[in-house]
Amino acid sequence: MDTLTGLLEGPKARGAFLLKSVFSPPWSLRVEDRAPISVVTMVRGDAWVLPDNGRPVRLCPGDVAVMRGPDAYTIADRPDTPVQIVVGPEQRCNTTEGEDVTDSMALGVRTWGDDSRAGSSVMLSGTYQAPSEIGRRLLAALPVLLVRPAEVGDNPLVRILADEIGKDEIGQELVLDRLLDLLLVSVLRTWLAIPESGAPAWYRAQSDPVVGPALRLLHEQPGKAWTVASLADNVGVSRAGLARHFTTLVGEPPMAYLTEWRLTLAADLLREPDATVATVARRVGYSGAFALSAAFKRVRGLSPQEFRKGGRGEAVERQGAVRQTVVLDR
């Protein structure tokens, strides 16, 4: 498994919140739901995304914006339109006067807003409900706001999502979850493929003739009893040379990287209903349940059992060099 596959395997929506919003200008929503990631695209009309900690960006039809939580942001028809509705935890919506309009503004299946006329602004949004659905390493790498203009990749996924979001058929939730995953991954692939776009150091390091093979070995064989010395032997360099070069390019030593990768895999395996902590531990390279639990608690701030029950753990540390707003070239 290469590092790109390892990164993009992270997004796995489970009962994600998807919605088509229909508004007549002027309109403005303040989003304070603390969701780990939200994906927004305009079907009709323009909108502005105004993150609290990033540069505002205008969205045109077909543009796709990825907002990294838990920071709040505002999305509106114009940057100066006053906030009218605040979206809070569990997607409850209140006016700025405190009136709950979550149900009163419903317009049909997964459709919400103040208008359904042809001239209205139409926005599609998908929200991941928990950090465990994304992957810690991905969350740490993302900018606050990432925008892929429609011209960069005229993605049929937007059109398919627009068609599917209002349906109420058997298995529809699963269909929408996978469409959301695919849309997010398509934006991430575009981001990672463009030089100087702010891709994380550990992703860029895969092209290095020494560190790249080492990363691939760690991803393909995470359960092996790796040491820096054995990893260096496999890539044909000295132990000290690999440790120094790996840390410089990736930003952390090889064994620290391996620990995080093992715990990422463990988190994914722990979601399987029949998996035990002991079997997961052996699959990812730990001697037993106790060793995995200790590492999981130390790094993620909660035990494997608490994670399985839906705990969120400590906030994900952000990479210091990540830019707050990234707009991919049109």
Side-chain angles (χ1 to χ4, degrees), residues 1-294:
M1 180 186 296
D2 58 31
T3 53
L4 176 59
T5 301
L7 171 70
L8 298 183
E9 273 204 336
K12 293 184 177 67
R14 288 170 171 78
F17 184 82
L18 289 107
L19 190 69
K20 177 171 72 174
S21 299
V22 186
F23 295 106
S24 291
W27 58 271
S28 179
L29 302 176
R30 171 76 174 168
V31 182
E32 299 178 348
D33 60 1
R34 299 189 63 79
I37 287 185
S38 294
V39 181
V40 170
T41 185
M42 298 302 296
V43 175
R44 185 166 60 240
D46 295 347
W48 283 83
V49 181
L50 302 99
D52 283 7
N53 298 304
R55 174 170 57 89
V57 175
R58 182 184 182 185
L59 290 184
C60 301
D63 295 351
V64 181
V66 175
M67 280 76 77
R68 185 201 73 197
D71 299 339
Y73 61 92
T74 299
I75 186 163
D77 67 315
R78 295 174 56 88
D80 56 354
T81 300
V83 172
Q84 300 159 348
I85 295 173
V86 178
V87 182
E90 299 182 358
Q91 304 301 317
R92 301 303 300 180
C93 302
N94 292 274
T95 67
T96 52
E97 290 78 27
E99 178 187 359
D100 189 329
V101 293
T102 307
D103 299 324
S104 62
M105 292 182 65
L107 298 174
V109 177
R110 299 186 192 87
T111 305
W112 190 86
D114 64 9
D115 206 331
S116 59
R117 294 176 299 179
S120 302
S121 300
V122 178
M123 175 177 68
L124 305 181
S125 58
T127 301
Y128 288 81
Q129 303 292 327
S132 60
E133 297 173 350
I134 310 297
R136 184 185 182 92
R137 189 167 291 275
L138 173 57
L139 283 174
L142 281 171
V144 167
L145 173 60
L146 173 64
V147 177
R148 188 196 68 185
E151 291 89 339
V152 171
D154 184 18
N155 202 311
L157 288 171
V158 173
R159 295 191 293 273
I160 297 172
L161 182 60
D163 181 59
E164 292 285 341
I165 202 167
K167 294 181 179 179
D168 189 17
E169 300 180 0
I170 295 174
Q172 193 65 18
E173 183 177 283
L174 178 61
V175 170
L176 294 173
D177 281 349
R178 297 293 76 80
L179 284 173
L180 179 61
D181 289 343
L182 289 170
L183 184 59
L184 174 58
V185 167
S186 72
V187 176
L188 297 178
R189 288 175 62 184
T190 303
W191 171 53
L192 293 169
I194 296 178
E196 308 303 325
S197 65
W202 49 265
Y203 173 77
R204 298 194 302 270
Q206 70 175 341
S207 61
D208 183 82
V210 173
V211 177
L215 283 168
R216 284 190 288 276
L217 286 170
L218 296 180
H219 276 256
E220 292 168 358
Q221 304 177 57
K224 186 172 179 177
W226 289 109
T227 64
V228 178
S230 64
L231 192 59
D233 286 343
N234 274 269
V235 298
V237 297
S238 69
R239 177 186 181 281
L242 175 63
R244 181 174 60 254
H245 199 44
F246 194 105
T247 302
T248 299
L249 292 186
V250 178
E252 59 185 335
M255 294 301 100
Y257 183 92
L258 176 60
T259 295
E260 179 59 40
W261 177 233
R262 284 172 167 171
L263 295 180
T264 296
L265 294 176
D268 195 46
L269 292 170
L270 285 166
R271 299 188 193 111
E272 298 179 2
D274 296 330
T276 67
V277 178
T279 58
V280 170
R282 289 191 291 272
R283 289 180 64 178
V284 300
Y286 286 92
S287 59
F290 180 80
L292 174 59
S293 297

